[in-house]
């Protein structure tokens, strides 16, 4: 009707269109910048993790093979009876190189084979008593320096003074190689042996069993206690100052540095309650303290995620509060609780600091027999080996880390699968 | 002014019925400091459908949730006054709340079947209350409950499928079947059709009419047509007060209170 007014409206519409068009370009630019930043952040993370894996795997993968030297062992009955198996190994070495004489040279020659070879022979004869009095070709563990050389981890072309293996030893090794007496075998001992001062004999069995026992204690204690605490706090506890205080403290507990838990465990469990030092029981108790807040917080979140309509339905049917929790809330919250528990366990598996405080850092060559015998755990084993001067321990360290990472990845994968499989949508 | 307001808010109509099943006298509810309903007195007769209507926040759902003490679960909710079920005070210390909820069932606004099978949904109540002696008896309870809820023909071949896989209307009828499986005396329905389409709504309304033979039903609804269709008596609530009670036909044709009239004629609400 009113033409001038219509014109101004049309003009302002035109102006809006132009302005939107101009600001659109700016908005899209901002969006592209933001996406590039995000992508960069993700890439940085992936690169860091990838770099870590590559570096560990490239130093550690060779631990799964071990160099062995095959010698013809004459099981002289007298020596077998006396238990002097090292003499048998030395005799077999001298038989290969009869020209070697003199104490110095012989020591060098004997140094090609691991000190543990005698024990291997002893175990072999114990398993097969018929060997006594016969001669058999047996693949014996090579010394760690020989093993490292064969794996290309030490440079054979370096000047002799910078090499652990002398020129004479190199010559003997080349000769043995020509006689086809040097082989690489799958390193079963790495998984079946306990710790040792000699890297070629050291295995992770002790640490694996120690970790298993420690985690078992942790799981058995922290899961029931954590779930019970979460259920009580979420479903039954009155809301008052005391429960608020408890809640704040649980959250604080989750942020306490783990070594403090170790000190607490030392003072309370070992000094006061007399739990044996270095035992998986003590470690499990300490790790329980550390894992509890994680499990409680995850369990409470899982319980809170159960929709109130399910609770009302159960209560409306005349279920008692305990029946409501047991029949409806817990089954629905359980996957979330288990996920929390697995993640807590994975953290506990990788924990070393608190266990140092309670003596699980001691050198223990035996595989622990139970939760009360002295033990160490995988991460502490890594710590111990990383501290050792022998270059071959570097490879063992990385190998133990690989095993630890495999377990951690498996646990995290289990958590993810559990979450996907049982996740419910309402 | 205060007196005038009080008079204005006094309940109009006869709140009493002969031989009531539920009897509320001077019921006040507050959530913390916030009053939800004030001084509500109302009788509910055997085998009637009573509709509670009113604008949002008027306290009709609050009163409904007092009748099976579901308000107990809300922190800060305080209920005063007396509510009796068959002459027994349900807020008495002696009254067991689990027992009460077996006698006063509830159907909720949003269908909320348990994430279990159809069979398990219906069998849950009889099972926790120990109503069935054996599997055969339980099967029978499940079948009759589903039949009464008009769901049997649709689900008899998939009793083991999850109840949450049914359609919205079927889920709500499953919830009704679950409620009647424990043979309650009263069924509370809190806007049972507000999440359903008109066809499913019509089925539920028919069902309510049939259920009246055996149960007393209190239904809270936002739909005045629904109240008019299914109920014999209607109670109109406004901002926490019970304004008017009476036979449904009378309320809809001849409301006595100005607020009721304004609401029914759509002047607010």
């Amino acid at each position: 009707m009113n033409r001038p007014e219509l014109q101004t409206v049309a003009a302002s519409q035109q102006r809006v269109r132009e302005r939107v068009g101009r600001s659109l370009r700016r908005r899209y630019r901002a969006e592209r910048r933001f996406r590039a930043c995000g992508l960069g952040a993700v890439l940085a993370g992936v690169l860091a993790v990838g770099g870590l894996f590559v570096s560990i795997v490239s130093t550690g993968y060779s631990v799964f093979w071990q160099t062995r030297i095959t010698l013809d062992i004459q099981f002289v009955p007298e020596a077998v009876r006396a238990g002097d198996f090292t003499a048998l190994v030395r005799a077999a070495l001298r038989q290969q190189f009869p020209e070697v004489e003199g104490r110095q040279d012989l020591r060098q020659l004997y140094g090609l084979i691991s000190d543990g070879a005698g024990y291997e022979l002893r175990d072999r004869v114990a398993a097969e008593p018929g060997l006594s009095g016969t001669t058999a070709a047996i693949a014996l563990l090579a010394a760690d320096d020989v093993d490292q050389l064969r794996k290309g981890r030490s440079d054979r072309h370096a000047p002799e003074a910078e090499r652990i293996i002398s020129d004479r030893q190199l010559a003997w090794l080349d000769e043995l190689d020509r006689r086809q007496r040097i082989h690489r075998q799958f390193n079963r001992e790495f998984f079946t042996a306990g710790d040792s001062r000699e890297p070629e004999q050291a295995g992770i069995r002790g640490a694996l069993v120690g970790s298993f026992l420690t985690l078992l204690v942790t799981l058995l204690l922290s899961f029931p206690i954590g779930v019970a605490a979460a259920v009580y706090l979420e479903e039954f506890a009155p809301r008052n100052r005391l429960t608020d205080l408890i809640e704040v403290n649980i959250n604080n507990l989750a942020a306490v540095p783990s070594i403090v838990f170790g000190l607490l465990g030392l003072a309370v469990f070992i000094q006061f309650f007399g739990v044996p030092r270095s035992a998986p029981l003590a470690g499990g108790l300490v790790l329980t303290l550390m894992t509890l807040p994680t499990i409680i917080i995850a369990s409470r979140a899982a319980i809170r995620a159960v929709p109130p309509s399910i609770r009302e339905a159960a209560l409306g049917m005349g279920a008692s509060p305990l029946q409501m929790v047991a029949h409806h809330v817990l089954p629905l919250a359980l996957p979330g609780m288990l996920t929390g528990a697995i993640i807590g366990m994975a953290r506990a598996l990788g924990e070393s600091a608190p266990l140092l405080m309670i003596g699980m850092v001691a050198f223990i060559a035996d595989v622990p027999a139970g939760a009360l015998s002295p033990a160490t755990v995988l991460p502490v084993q890594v710590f111990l080996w990383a501290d050792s001067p022998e270059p071959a321990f570097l490879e063992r360290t990385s190998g133990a880390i690989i095993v630890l990472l495999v377990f951690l990845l498996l646990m995290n994968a289990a958590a993810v699968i559990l979450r996907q499989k049982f996740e419910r949508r309402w | 002014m205060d007196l005038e307001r009080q008079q204005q808010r006094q309940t109009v109509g006869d709140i009493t019925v002969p031989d009531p099943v539920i009897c509320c006298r001077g019921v006040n509810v507050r959530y913390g400091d916030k009053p939800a309903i004030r001084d509500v007195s109302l009788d509910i007769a055997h085998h009637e459908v009573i509709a509670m209507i009113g604008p949002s926040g008027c306290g009709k759902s609050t009163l409904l949730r007092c009748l099976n003490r579901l308000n107990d679960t809300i922190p800060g909710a305080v209920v005063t006054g007396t509510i009796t079920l068959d002459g027994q005070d349900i807020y008495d210390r002696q009254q067991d709340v689990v027992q009460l909820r077996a006698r006063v069932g509830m159907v909720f606004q949003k269908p909320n079947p348990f994430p279990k099978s159809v069979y398990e949904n219906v069998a849950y109540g009889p099972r926790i209350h120990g109503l069935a002696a054996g599997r055969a008896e339980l099967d029978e309870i499940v079948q009759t409950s589903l039949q009464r809820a008009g769901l049997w023909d649709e689900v008899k071949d998939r009793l083991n499928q999850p109840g949450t896989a049914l359609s919205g209307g079927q889920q709500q009828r499953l919830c009704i079947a679950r409620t009647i499986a424990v043979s309650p005396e009263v069924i509370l329905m809190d806007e049972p059709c507000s999440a359903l389409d008109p066809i499913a709504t019509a089925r539920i309304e028919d069902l309510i009419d049939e259920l009246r033979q055996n149960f007393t039903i209190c239904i809270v609804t936002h739909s005045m047509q629904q109240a008019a269709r299914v109920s014999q008596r209607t109670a109109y609530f406004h901002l926490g007060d019970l304004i008017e009670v009476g036979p449904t036909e009378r309320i809809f044709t001849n409301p006595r209170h100005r607020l009721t009239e304004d609401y029914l004629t759509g002047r607010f609400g």
Side-chain angles (χ1 to χ4, degrees):
Chain A
M1 292 172 267
N2 193 333
R3 287 201 71 83
E5 205 170 274
L6 271 181
Q7 269 168 2
T8 50
V9 168
S12 84
Q13 282 165 345
Q14 175 67 29
R15 211 163 47 237
V16 167
R17 264 203 301 281
E18 279 167 14
R19 291 219 172 143
V20 169
R22 240 173 300 147
S23 79
L24 262 186
R25 270 201 300 277
R26 208 178 55 235
R27 281 188 257 176
Y28 284 139
R29 256 203 314 275
E31 186 160 327
R32 274 197 298 275
R33 264 200 310 276
F34 181 77
R35 281 191 188 192
C37 286
L39 198 65
V42 171
L43 272 180
V46 169
L47 275 179
V49 173
L52 177 85
F53 274 95
V54 167
S55 112
I56 288 171
V57 171
S58 62
T59 18
Y61 77 98
S62 56
V63 83
F64 300 110
W65 289 272
Q66 193 70 19
T67 307
R68 284 182 176 270
I69 299 175
T70 309
L71 294 177
D72 302 319
I73 305 285
Q74 266 184 304
F75 289 97
V76 185
E78 291 79 51
V80 169
R81 251 196 309 282
D84 193 3
F85 292 98
T86 313
L88 299 183
V89 175
R90 292 184 173 174
L93 273 171
R94 278 199 305 274
Q95 187 204 342
Q96 288 291 328
F97 300 100
E99 72 282 4
V100 180
E101 273 172 30
R103 260 176 65 123
Q104 287 283 353
D105 287 358
L106 278 174
R107 256 242 303 276
Q108 284 200 24
L109 180 64
Y110 300 154
L112 296 181
I113 297 285
S114 163
D115 290 346
Y119 301 115
E120 280 193 319
L121 284 184
R122 183 193 60 196
D123 295 344
R124 195 62 186 265
V125 171
E128 265 178 88
L131 276 176
S132 183
T134 62
T135 302
I138 289 181
L140 293 167
L141 204 53
D144 57 329
D145 303 322
V146 174
D147 181 53
Q148 292 299 296
L149 183 84
R150 299 286 304 180
K151 284 171 177 168
R153 301 227 172 251
S154 54
D155 182 11
R156 62 176 293 156
H157 302 297
E160 187 177 11
E162 291 171 21
R163 256 189 278 125
I164 301 173
I165 301 270
S166 68
D167 284 345
R168 302 207 58 180
Q169 284 178 312
L170 264 184
W172 292 326
L173 281 174
D174 290 342
E175 180 57 30
L176 282 171
D177 206 10
R178 243 190 316 280
R179 296 179 194 165
Q180 298 205 326
R181 289 190 172 267
I182 303 186
H183 302 284
R184 262 189 353 173
Q185 269 187 14
F186 176 66
N187 189 1
R188 208 159 49 87
E189 284 68 28
F190 186 62
F191 297 99
T192 58
D195 196 6
S196 170
R197 292 287 183 218
E198 303 299 328
E200 73 275 12
Q201 293 175 55
I204 54 168
R205 176 74 177 274
L208 270 181
V209 173
S211 269
F212 174 76
L213 290 171
T214 308
L215 279 193
L216 193 69
V217 172
T218 309
L219 183 69
L220 288 181
L221 287 174
S222 64
F223 190 63
I225 296 176
V227 169
V231 167
Y232 179 75
L233 283 174
E234 276 300 313
E235 300 287 342
F236 298 102
R239 290 261 169 274
N240 56 29
R241 212 165 273 173
L242 184 68
T243 46
D244 283 350
L245 192 73
I246 291 174
E247 193 166 337
V248 169
N249 273 314
I250 288 172
N251 291 334
N252 282 343
L253 221 51
V256 169
S258 55
I259 195 150
V260 178
F261 287 118
L263 274 174
L264 183 77
L266 178 64
V268 176
F269 298 133
I270 292 179
Q271 307 278 26
F272 189 75
F273 287 109
V275 176
R277 206 170 250 283
S278 309
L281 179 63
L285 285 168
V286 167
L287 292 180
T288 298
L289 293 180
M290 206 196 74
T291 319
L292 257 183
T294 314
I295 293 187
I296 293 178
I297 291 170
S299 298
R300 292 186 68 174
I303 290 172
R304 236 173 287 155
V306 175
S309 66
I310 297 292
R311 277 169 240 260
E312 284 191 332
L315 288 178
M317 287 306 300
S320 67
L322 182 63
Q323 284 175 323
M324 174 191 82
V325 170
H327 297 165
H328 301 289
V329 176
L330 271 189
L332 292 177
L334 203 59
M337 290 174 164
L338 285 176
T339 308
I342 292 175
I343 288 170
M345 286 298 121
R347 262 189 63 197
L349 174 62
E351 197 58 67
S352 58
L355 303 179
L356 303 183
M357 302 305 300
I358 56 163
M360 292 188 92
V361 70
F363 170 77
I364 292 150
D366 292 327
V367 175
L372 292 175
S373 41
T376 188
V377 294
L378 266 177
V380 177
Q381 186 71 75
V382 168
F383 170 78
L384 281 170
W385 282 348
D387 229 18
S388 305
E390 288 89 345
F393 268 125
L394 178 66
E395 181 198 64
R396 306 269 143 177
T397 307
S398 297
I401 293 175
I402 291 173
V403 173
L404 185 60
L405 283 180
V406 165
F407 276 105
L408 290 176
L409 288 177
L410 283 179
M411 285 168 90
N412 284 335
V416 170
I417 290 168
L418 211 65
R419 203 159 38 206
Q420 278 178 351
K421 185 157 184 208
F422 291 102
E423 193 179 44
R424 275 175 203 278
R425 276 169 271 268
W426 281 276
Chain B
M1 178 69 190
D2 215 35
L3 190 74
E4 192 187 16
R5 188 190 165 276
Q6 222 169 30
Q7 277 168 349
Q8 215 180 34
R9 295 299 173 98
Q10 208 114 55
T11 307
V12 175
D14 190 6
I15 59 156
T16 63
V17 294
D19 185 27
V21 53
I22 287 180
C23 192
C24 310
R25 287 294 175 270
V27 176
N28 284 281
V29 181
R30 55 190 165 79
Y31 297 120
D33 297 329
K34 204 176 136 270
I37 55 177
R38 272 185 302 262
D39 197 23
V40 168
S41 298
L42 180 65
D43 283 356
I44 296 167
H46 282 284
H47 303 302
E48 74 166 350
V49 177
I50 180 165
M52 302 181 180
I53 60 170
S56 297
C58 67
K60 51 195 193 305
S61 290
T62 299
L63 181 65
L64 198 73
R65 294 167 72 96
C66 285
L67 302 182
N68 68 347
R69 288 184 58 179
L70 211 57
N71 276 340
D72 289 12
T73 59
I74 299 171
V78 180
V79 181
T80 57
T82 57
I83 301 175
T84 61
L85 175 65
D86 287 333
Q88 205 183 352
D89 186 354
I90 64 168
Y91 277 89
D92 193 76
R93 201 163 298 176
Q94 310 257 303
Q95 173 65 53
D96 190 274
V97 78
V98 168
Q99 169 99 50
L100 171 72
R101 288 178 190 150
R103 293 174 63 190
V104 183
M106 186 152 185
V107 176
F108 295 85
Q109 180 172 1
K110 206 178 138 229
N112 57 353
F114 299 128
K116 299 174 190 267
S117 71
V118 171
Y119 183 93
E120 286 301 318
N121 262 283
V122 184
Y124 183 67
R127 217 173 243 160
I128 59 170
H129 296 303
L131 301 183
R135 180 77 194 194
E137 204 178 333
L138 193 61
D139 286 350
E140 202 186 307
I141 293 177
V142 170
Q143 182 172 351
T144 40
S145 305
L146 283 169
Q147 278 166 343
R148 277 180 170 174
L151 193 60
W152 176 251
D153 291 333
E154 290 158 65
V155 299
K156 65 182 175 206
D157 299 323
R158 41 177 178 158
L159 289 176
N160 291 320
Q161 281 182 16
T164 41
L166 301 176
S167 74
Q170 288 174 328
Q171 285 189 23
Q172 195 62 301
R173 277 180 284 146
L174 178 61
C175 292
I176 292 174
R178 179 176 72 187
T179 306
I180 59 184
V182 293
S183 307
E185 290 154 55
V186 181
I187 301 175
L188 310 174
M189 296 190 175
D190 191 357
E191 299 181 38
C193 302
S194 64
L196 305 182
D197 67 43
I199 295 167
T201 302
R203 292 213 57 172
I204 302 264
E205 285 177 4
D206 290 345
L207 179 59
I208 290 172
D209 211 43
E210 283 166 37
L211 292 176
R212 186 159 66 90
Q213 312 298 319
N214 300 302
F215 307 96
T216 301
I217 296 170
C218 299
I219 177 168
V220 163
T221 176
H222 266 296
S223 154
M224 285 177 272
Q225 291 85 345
Q226 184 170 62
R229 279 193 298 261
V230 300
S231 70
Q232 285 78 56
R233 278 167 81 226
T234 297
Y236 172 69
F237 290 77
H238 187 87
L239 296 179
D241 295 297
L242 176 54
I243 299 295
E244 186 166 356
V245 189
T248 301
E249 222 181 290
R250 209 264 300 143
I251 293 265
F252 276 89
T253 52
N254 184 20
R256 288 186 196 147
H257 198 289
R258 195 175 47 79
L259 284 170
T260 318
E261 194 183 339
D262 287 353
Y263 182 69
L264 291 177
T265 52
R267 221 159 291 171
F268 63 80

